[in-house]
């Protein structure tokens, strides 16, 4: 599968288990900073909750450097870790999940907590409205001013994102291209410019 799934917008799902209320809030987050900002936002939204446990996969699903989790006061390993485990076995990326718990007076025990937090995330992901995210690669191109117009027009009608332009002796443009379609697009750009283009490809994001 050459794409992963990510939420289209912030979404909330409610679950009650033995009188405890579990509120699962999910948002698309790109990178740790966005993930942590969302978690802090949830702490402020539910300051009276017993726990605001969380887990995130803040990049592509296979980028382990952007995984993290927290039990937020629940017994160690009973909330954040099972939540992250559910995310790891899904095809979701750029996602942060916060499960807010209001204690209902009945203790669930360690095993019950693991099941409850896992269930909260599983059921939320099953109902989540999501979109396909295709991994992108950064590409730098250098072109001369006379062909700028036709290159810009071609880019506007493609699925390539233009991230930056620098105007000097030539025009340096930074692109974010979808890996699976780039090979064909690269050749089309070379043909469009009649070979008068410099292309530098970076590693995958």
């Amino acid at each position: 599968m050459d794409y992963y799934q990510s939420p289209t917008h912030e979404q909330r799902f409610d679950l009650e288990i033995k009188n405890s209320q579990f509120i699962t809030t999910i948002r698309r987050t790109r990178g740790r900073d966005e993930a942590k900002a969302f978690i802090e936002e949830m702490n402020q939204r539910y300051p009276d909750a017993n726990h605001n446990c969380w887990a995130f996969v803040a990049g592509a699903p296979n980028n382990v450097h952007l995984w993290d989790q927290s039990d937020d006061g629940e017994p160690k390993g009973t909330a954040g870790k099972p939540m992250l485990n559910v995310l790891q076995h899904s095809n979701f990326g750029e996602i942060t999940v916060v499960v807010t718990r209001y204690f209902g007076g009945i203790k669930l025990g360690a095993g019950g907590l693991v099941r409850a937090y896992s269930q909260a995330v599983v059921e939320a992901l099953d109902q989540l409205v999501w979109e396909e995210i295709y991994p992108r690669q950064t590409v730098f191109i250098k072109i001369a001013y006379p062909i700028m117009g036709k290159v810009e027009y071609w880019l506007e009608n493609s699925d390539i994102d233009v991230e930056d332009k620098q105007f000097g002796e030539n025009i340096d443009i930074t692109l974010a291209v979808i890996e699976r379609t780039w090979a064909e697009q690269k050749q089309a750009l070379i043909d469009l410019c009649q070979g008068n283009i410099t292309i530098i490809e970076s590693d995958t994001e």
Side-chain angles (χ1 to χ4, degrees):
M1 188 175 292
D2 58 1
Y3 70 86
Y4 55 90
Q5 300 158 200
S6 194
T8 57
H9 59 283
E10 182 182 309
Q11 297 164 64
R12 168 181 165 164
F13 307 91
D14 294 357
L15 180 68
E16 181 177 327
I17 300 176
K18 293 185 177 180
N19 296 334
S20 278
Q21 301 296 321
F22 293 86
I23 302 169
T24 303
T25 312
I26 299 179
R27 183 186 293 175
R28 182 179 181 189
T29 52
R30 303 173 184 86
R32 283 182 172 273
D33 289 345
E34 282 192 20
K36 290 297 181 70
F38 171 53
I39 293 162
E40 180 55 32
E41 190 178 319
M42 291 301 100
N43 286 331
Q44 294 176 13
R45 186 179 301 179
Y46 302 107
D48 57 337
N50 296 94
H51 309 278
N52 284 302
C53 305
W54 52 265
F56 62 70
V57 175
N62 61 353
N63 188 347
V64 298
H65 302 293
L66 292 178
W67 296 356
D68 208 350
Q69 52 83 21
S70 169
D71 297 310
D72 192 41
E74 292 281 31
K76 185 177 180 180
T78 62
K81 188 174 181 179
M83 289 168 61
L84 180 59
N85 186 58
V86 173
L87 292 180
Q88 289 169 346
H89 290 86
S90 71
N91 189 41
F92 281 92
E94 298 183 15
I95 186 172
T96 298
V97 179
V98 179
V99 178
T100 301
R101 183 188 182 199
Y102 286 91
F103 180 54
I106 301 174
K107 292 187 176 181
L108 301 181
L113 286 171
V114 170
R115 288 190 294 274
Y117 280 99
S118 298
Q119 181 182 347
V121 179
V122 167
E123 291 193 7
L125 293 182
D126 283 345
Q127 302 171 69
L128 196 68
V129 180
W130 53 269
E131 62 184 332
E132 297 173 358
I133 304 297
Y134 290 87
R136 287 183 180 264
Q137 175 184 0
T138 300
V139 172
F140 305 95
I141 66 172
K142 185 187 295 288
I143 58 173
Y145 283 90
I147 60 173
M148 176 181 174
K150 65 180 182 180
V151 171
E152 286 188 324
Y153 179 79
W154 185 88
L155 289 170
E156 287 170 3
N157 289 279
S158 74
D159 58 13
I160 296 173
D161 290 339
V162 177
E163 297 192 325
D164 187 46
K165 290 180 187 175
Q166 297 291 329
F167 299 93
E169 184 178 342
N170 294 291
I171 305 163
D172 296 312
I173 306 176
T174 304
L175 307 175
V177 304
I178 295 175
E179 294 171 18
R180 68 188 185 105
T181 56
W182 170 237
E184 184 177 335
Q185 291 172 329
K186 177 181 178 180
Q187 189 57 52
L189 260 178
I190 292 171
D191 293 343
L192 179 70
C193 300
Q194 297 180 318
N196 296 315
I197 181 172
T198 300
I199 299 176
I200 301 172
E201 301 178 19
S202 71
D203 294 332
T204 303
E205 286 185 356

